[in-house]
Amino acid sequence: MKDFIIPGLDGAPAFSDRDYGTPERHSQKMVTLTIDGFEVSVPEGTSVMRASNTLGITIPKLCATDNMEAWGSCRLCAVEIEGRRGTPASCTTPVTPGMVVHTQTAKLQKLRKGVMELYISDHPLDCLTCAANGDCELQDMAGAVGLRDVRYEAPADGGFQNHFLRKDASGAPNPEWLPKDDSNPYFTYDPAKCIVCSRCVRACEEVQGTFALTIEGRGFDSRVSAGMAGDTFLSSDCVSCGACVQACPTATLQEKSVIELGTPDRKVVTTCAYCGVGCSFEAEMKGDTVVRMTPWKHGKANRGHSCVKGRFAWGYATHKDRILDPMIRESINDPWEVVTWDEAITFAATKLRGIQAKYGVRAIGGITSSRCTNEETFLVQKMIRSVFGNNNTDTCARVCHSPTGYGLGRAFGTSAGTQDFDSVEHTDVVIVIGANPTDGHPVFASRLKKRLRQGAKLIVIDPRRIDLVRSAHIEASHHLPLRPGTNVAVVTALAHVIVTEGLYNEAFIRERCDWDEFLHYAEFVSQGRHSPEAIALLTGVDPQELRAAARLFARGGNGAIYYGLGVTEHSQGSTTVMGIANLAMLTGNIGRPGVGVNPLRGQNNVQGSCDMGSFPHELPGYRHVSQDTTREIFEKLWGAVLDKEPGLRIPNMLDAAVEGTFKGLYVQGEDILQSDPDTKHVSAGLAAMECVIVQDLFLNETANYAHVFLPGSTFLEKDGTFTNAERRINRVRRVMMPKNGYADWEVTMLLANAMGAGWTYTHPSQVMDEIAATTPTFAGVSYEFLEEKGSVQWPCNELHPEGTPIMHVDGFVRGKGRFIVTEYVATEERTGPRFPLLLTTGRILSQYNVGAQTRRTDNVAWHAEDRLEIHPHDAEVRGIKEGDWVRLASRAGETSLRALITDRVSPGVVYTTFHHPDTQANVITTDFSDWATNCPEYKVTAVQVALTNGPSDWQVDYGRQADLSRRILPAAE
Amino acid sequence: MPADVQKLVRMANQIATFFDTQPGDTQAAEVAAHLKSFWEPRMLQALYAHVDAGGAGLSPLVLQAVGRLREPV
Ligand code: SF4
Ligand code: SF4
Ligand code: SF4
Ligand code: FES
């Protein structure tokens, strides 16, 4: 097996790096023309420049690039067209039938040289020491047009103006010169090198949708400017997505890592390890050092775009906090002792087997990681089921999207989203419910915003006024700011309006769904108690707005629903998911592009870890452990008898630990102490165990309670696959050797073998082959196939050899779609005199979940601490001012953090993020959970807020305990 | 009631509350199937033990479901 395969460089034309200059057009109508004597047919609307590129003829250009619309400002791309006067710009000239184009004539040559001469005359000639040397389009174009001399020279009297000399020839400071803007931690802006092509401005508008950049001034005075006068890149609205840096043809916008390290010498295509969008990147390398990560234009999830995390926040891989040697200790009060891999693995295996001998086979278990690869997850659950001999496996998806699996499984028959991300390009009305895509799923948000700017309508259902509700050139048609915990009531009321006003799609329902179930459901939702007016008091949502939103969704064309953890992390999470499925079926919005039910997954491989059988009741491919035929498949291959009873879920494991029947846990790449609710309960459970094995990059919070620490590896150090929120299986490729010595799958194999497994894998592709051989939805997947296609969306098998971008096209996987009655049941978590406010939680763009990685990068420039958002009214009655320390208390516990006063949250609601361990927001959250899946109810906690002086006693104690438990004995000489 | 039993009771009741709202006459069977599919044996045993101890706090539907689960097949 070859280690590095670089699509595009290895020849596959579908993955070529060529910049076609202008975006692709999708018209069915083809236009035929002749360019330099060659005939070519392209879709109507294509530019002459793009048409020429499809022939392999490159026309010089500076201001055009193929991920944004043409601008026509540099004039370098001039061509001659027979029968037309002058020299039109090929980037802005659409093709017409029979057109005859010449791209290279004496006239054009002269014109282009003149253009370049002008550009170069106002550009420093320090190419040899420039960071973009060898990677600069201005340099390339000077070569391409044959520029040999520049006739303009600065006269001695300083009269000639330029932007790049600090001082003119007479020694006077040049008023046109501006200093570099170094404020962004990851890239610089050097105005001296700017050619004002405006690619950056258009990238920020068209690709990212933030509108942070403008061109200020006119003519010679034009400048790129971030934000308002006086702003720097850091203080402006810029979200550091990197699109402008990518677009800049010169060194004006340049990655600091390239300035420091020089240009990369090879590229390896891989997948971001942060969120569920699953962006494809090129890791640009020098030796085994990453120089930069750039979004890959052929990545089907991101289409060449990225966010600050994937693009820039990979420095944690080499952070000094990373633990590279295994460590053990007898008791969690002891300091850690550094040992060899052999010792650590033997220690762990002996402990686990000892516990089983004493307390029974079911006294141990493990947690798979949604950040690790499919192959790694598969092996962990294989080890638990076939080596530990029980089904006590779970994953952090428990705490985020388990209700999605349950709800969609019941309604449609598959536990996954129905669309690909490209689908949004065909959507007319979007409902975003309980999700904050601009922060949680930024690249998807950019794609969504692009569609909204083209005129699609938006309905936001969220307690908080998220950025999407109103931002540059976007305004939601309706924002329903519901009280946390009332999702089911609102979703059912939407259905009430659609049914009682006769807006449902009867033909679709009759054909695709169970009609009797529909009739029953229709009768249920039609009851007056489900009307928007009847629930207004409960939900706080204006009934007229709700009615208008329902009508818009039902009548507005292709309707798509995107939802996130604000839906699932409730005691009725599964019910809301079913309610969402009902809405999609009622309106016939399933089974074609532009529609569907789309869970936005949190972590990079949440989808994959669920697919791979991480749940205690399901073998890979969502097949229940009680199915004899499924167990037989695995039993035969694995040579072990599998337990037919479901195992413990994470919260159940902790309960059982406190009771004393669960004693040993293997945790791969998760930090349950920080990410799971009710921290005190989690720590009590962990403390009650006799052997906790943590495998991670850093000594995370859970490791404070661990007896064995096995160093983990980063996504840069291993081969494998991730599956994103659109069921897309993307390759992760190793670009450097694991600094800790082993990839995570190898560590699992060491432990399993120490417990008698006898595994002999030498490459993750063999694990994928095993997955394909045992799991029907993956039957067609192999590494060879992925090399060829780039990526594939499961199901991929004989029925769907190319994978499945859109599901339920001709019928639901389960046969008939099921309408399920969704009765609102209030959570037991209620406000009262002691805890009058409702806390809900979320995340922000620059940090990632528990923040273990992003906190160890320069992303801290944007989010140094978690803050409590509180409405001005609630703040005022409590005497709280901006930035004050406040005590946040629930019946589970209390913590302190600083207040941020904002009307983004409604009165009665407070909001915080959970990225920093010092904050410990989960000390506050309770152990209430979703009825079907035990997914914790993070999104609703009754709390009180009051002024305080600083961190709470718990935080101080916790900090002390954490420091104590992180001591490491100096290595014995 | 000890905290762990209280928690099981709450979880079981939550499941019953959902299926109670569903049409037809299979609610008890659905609750039983859900418990069997998702609850680990020691959780079920603890629930049975609580039922034997009087089943305080459990909804009637849970009691019916437990009755079904324990019927010898
Ligand atoms: S980094 Fe992204 S958000 Fe910032 S200015 Fe550039 S394109 Fe705009
Ligand atoms: S900063 Fe770069 S992309 Fe932006 S206008 Fe200047 S040269 Fe063009
Ligand atoms: S964090 Fe998500 S959106 Fe950002 S680059 Fe990574 S996969 Fe893409
Ligand atoms: S590339 Fe066409 S005008 Fe600049």
Side-chain angles (χ1 to χ4, degrees), chain A residues 49 60-64 71-77 89-92:
Chain A
M49 176 180 280
K61 64 177 186 59
L62 278 172
C63 68
W71 186 246
S73 70
C74 75
R75 309 292 308 159
L76 197 62
C77 67
S90 61
C91 63
T92 50

Side-chain angles (χ1 to χ4, degrees), chain A residues 198-217:
Chain A
S198 148
R199 270 161 72 159
C200 53
V201 176
R202 287 177 287 142
C204 193
E205 293 178 2
E206 290 179 34
V207 181
Q208 164 59 23
T210 293
F211 294 77
L213 301 179
T214 47
I215 302 278
E216 275 190 358

Side-chain angles (χ1 to χ4, degrees), chain A residues 741-973:
Chain A
Y742 294 106
D744 289 291
W745 62 271
E746 293 174 293
V747 177
T748 305
M749 184 158 92
L750 286 175
L751 180 62
N753 283 347
M755 295 176 76
W759 295 351
T760 55
Y761 303 103
T762 55
H763 193 277
S765 62
Q766 299 155 345
V767 182
M768 182 51 86
D769 294 342
E770 188 170 321
I771 297 165
T774 51
T775 310
T777 41
F778 279 70
V781 183
S782 70
Y783 278 31
E784 289 71 30
F785 186 76
L786 291 172
E787 292 313 334
E788 188 193 320
K789 301 285 171 191
S791 66
V792 67
Q793 288 172 271
W794 68 257
C796 172
N797 48 30
E798 266 178 18
L799 275 178
H800 310 275
E802 299 282 309
T804 312
I806 292 175
M807 296 199 71
H808 316 297
V809 173
D810 302 314
F812 288 102
V813 168
R814 72 179 299 280
K816 291 280 185 192
R818 263 189 89 178
F819 281 97
I820 299 168
V821 167
T822 53
E823 186 78 63
Y824 168 73
V825 179
T827 165
E828 291 176 47
E829 183 68 14
R830 296 205 180 112
T831 54
R834 279 180 62 213
F835 303 113
L837 302 173
L838 282 180
L839 169 74
T840 184
T841 57
R843 57 169 89 179
I844 66 143
L845 170 67
S846 55
Q847 300 291 328
Y848 178 71
N849 277 11
V850 298
Q853 289 121 323
T854 43
R855 275 186 288 116
R856 292 183 172 91
T857 68
D858 288 327
N859 277 23
V860 290
W862 288 278
H863 188 76
E865 60 178 339
D866 294 319
R867 298 282 286 264
L868 184 76
E869 290 189 7
I870 183 167
H871 188 271
H873 172 78
D874 292 324
E876 198 190 324
V877 297
R878 290 170 176 78
I880 295 166
K881 294 185 301 302
E882 178 72 22
D884 282 348
W885 276 94
V886 294
R887 190 181 73 109
L888 176 68
S890 74
R891 64 180 172 80
E894 63 176 71
T895 189
S896 295
L897 68 175
R898 294 192 314 131
L900 184 111
I901 298 176
T902 169
D903 64 0
R904 278 180 160 233
V905 289
S906 307
V909 177
V910 292
Y911 167 89
T912 189
T913 50
F914 54 94
H915 300 301
H916 292 267
D918 307 338
T919 322
Q920 290 283 344
N922 282 329
V923 173
I924 307 300
T925 51
T926 66
D927 62 359
F928 285 151
S929 63
D930 174 50
W931 66 267
T933 65
N934 277 169
C935 177
E937 186 166 53
Y938 281 125
K939 298 289 177 180
V940 200
T941 313
V943 293
Q944 178 58 295
V945 175
L947 275 174
T948 183
N949 309 326
S952 70
D953 292 348
W954 157 265
Q955 282 163 297
V956 174
D957 286 352
Y958 182 87
R960 199 176 303 131
Q961 197 274 341
D963 286 345
L964 263 184
S965 80
R966 288 203 178 111
R967 286 169 303 156
I968 300 177
L969 280 184
E973 288 302 315

Side-chain angles (χ1 to χ4, degrees), chain A residues 401-572:
Chain A
H401 266 293
S402 48
T404 290
Y406 182 81
L408 296 186
R410 276 188 85 87
F412 300 155
T414 38
S415 305
T418 61
Q419 310 296 113
D420 57 3
F421 287 138
D422 284 351
S423 162
V424 76
E425 291 169 14
H426 308 277
T427 297
D428 302 310
V429 190
V430 180
I431 295 183
V432 172
I433 168 167
N436 185 5
T438 51
D439 286 87
H441 302 84
V443 165
F444 168 71
S446 289
R447 300 188 66 180
L448 169 62
K449 288 199 282 189
K450 189 170 189 172
R451 182 65 191 160
L452 294 173
R453 287 195 305 274
Q454 291 167 354
K457 298 280 185 285
L458 173 67
I459 299 163
V460 173
I461 306 177
D462 200 284
R464 203 165 151 262
R465 195 179 68 237
I466 57 171
D467 282 345
L468 268 185
V469 173
R470 198 170 304 124
S471 61
H473 300 267
I474 285 180
E475 169 126 39
S477 304
H478 306 285
H479 174 212
L480 312 182
L482 76 182
R483 273 172 73 77
T486 61
N487 286 331
V488 171
V490 169
V491 168
T492 307
L494 288 168
H496 172 93
V497 177
I498 293 170
V499 170
T500 56
E501 298 188 6
L503 305 173
Y504 54 91
N505 183 337
E506 182 170 339
F508 178 92
I509 299 168
R510 280 196 183 273
E511 186 193 329
R512 304 285 299 271
C513 306
D514 186 310
W515 184 251
D516 286 339
E517 274 167 355
F518 167 71
L519 288 180
H520 186 274
Y521 172 78
E523 193 237 322
F524 165 79
V525 296
S526 302
Q527 294 166 18
R529 64 200 179 92
H530 298 306
S531 74
E533 293 72 22
I535 60 151
L537 212 59
L538 167 75
T539 61
V541 174
D542 176 3
Q544 285 318 311
E545 280 286 305
L546 199 154
R547 282 191 182 272
R551 290 171 193 144
L552 174 62
F553 184 69
R555 290 204 197 119
N558 282 342
I561 306 176
Y562 292 86
Y563 71 90
L565 306 183
V567 159
T568 53
E569 290 176 347
H570 286 283
S571 57
Q572 277 200 291

Side-chain angles (χ1 to χ4, degrees), chain A residues 205-463:
Chain A
E205 293 178 2
E206 290 179 34
V207 181
Q208 164 59 23
T210 293
F211 294 77
L213 301 179
T214 47
I215 302 278
E216 275 190 358
R218 291 176 162 223
F220 186 75
D221 290 329
S222 332
R223 304 271 188 186
V224 171
S225 148
M228 319 279 220
D231 264 336
T232 60
F233 266 81
L234 191 64
S235 69
S236 74
D237 286 342
C238 166
V239 294
S240 198
C241 70
C244 56
V245 183
Q246 176 93 341
C248 182
T250 65
T252 313
L253 289 164
Q254 184 78 58
E255 294 92 350
K256 287 184 179 172
S257 58
V258 173
I259 297 178
E260 190 193 325
L261 296 166
T263 44
D265 53 43
R266 70 193 161 95
K267 297 174 176 182
V268 182
V269 174
T270 189
T271 305
C272 176
Y274 278 116
C275 88
V277 178
C279 296
S280 296
F281 278 87
E282 287 180 308
E284 302 193 22
M285 309 293 299
K286 256 175 129 58
D288 68 353
T289 301
V290 180
V291 177
R292 66 178 165 193
M293 298 283 283
T294 44
W296 190 41
K297 70 193 282 189
H298 302 293
K300 293 199 179 106
N302 55 322
R303 303 277 175 199
H305 189 36
S306 64
C307 85
V308 59
K309 293 187 286 277
R311 176 83 153 94
F312 295 118
W314 34 266
Y316 66 87
T318 50
H319 193 278
K320 63 172 175 28
D321 285 356
R322 220 182 126 182
I323 306 280
L324 301 175
D325 298 305
M327 305 189 295
I328 58 172
R329 58 183 171 189
E330 275 299 330
S331 141
I332 60 168
N333 301 314
D334 295 341
W336 285 107
E337 185 191 343
V338 175
V339 294
T340 63
W341 275 100
D342 241 9
E343 285 171 281
I345 294 289
T346 311
F347 181 88
T350 315
K351 283 253 175 192
L352 291 179
R353 283 297 190 219
I355 290 170
Q356 287 190 304
K358 194 160 155 201
Y359 301 98
V361 170
R362 289 176 176 157
I364 63 172
I367 298 177
T368 73
S369 176
S370 299
R371 303 207 311 251
C372 286
T373 63
N374 286 321
E375 293 75 4
E376 287 165 341
T377 305
F378 183 88
L379 287 188
V380 172
Q381 62 89 32
K382 174 175 177 177
M383 173 173 77
I384 293 164
R385 298 189 201 277
S386 68
V387 182
F388 291 7
N390 61 48
N391 287 321
N392 294 330
T393 168
D394 206 356
T395 175
C396 82
R398 172 67 52 214
V399 303
C400 59
H401 266 293
S402 48
T404 290
Y406 182 81
L408 296 186
R410 276 188 85 87
F412 300 155
T414 38
S415 305
T418 61
Q419 310 296 113
D420 57 3
F421 287 138
D422 284 351
S423 162
V424 76
E425 291 169 14
H426 308 277
T427 297
D428 302 310
V429 190
V430 180
I431 295 183
V432 172
I433 168 167
N436 185 5
T438 51
D439 286 87
H441 302 84
V443 165
F444 168 71
S446 289
R447 300 188 66 180
L448 169 62
K449 288 199 282 189
K450 189 170 189 172
R451 182 65 191 160
L452 294 173
R453 287 195 305 274
Q454 291 167 354
K457 298 280 185 285
L458 173 67
I459 299 163
V460 173
I461 306 177
D462 200 284

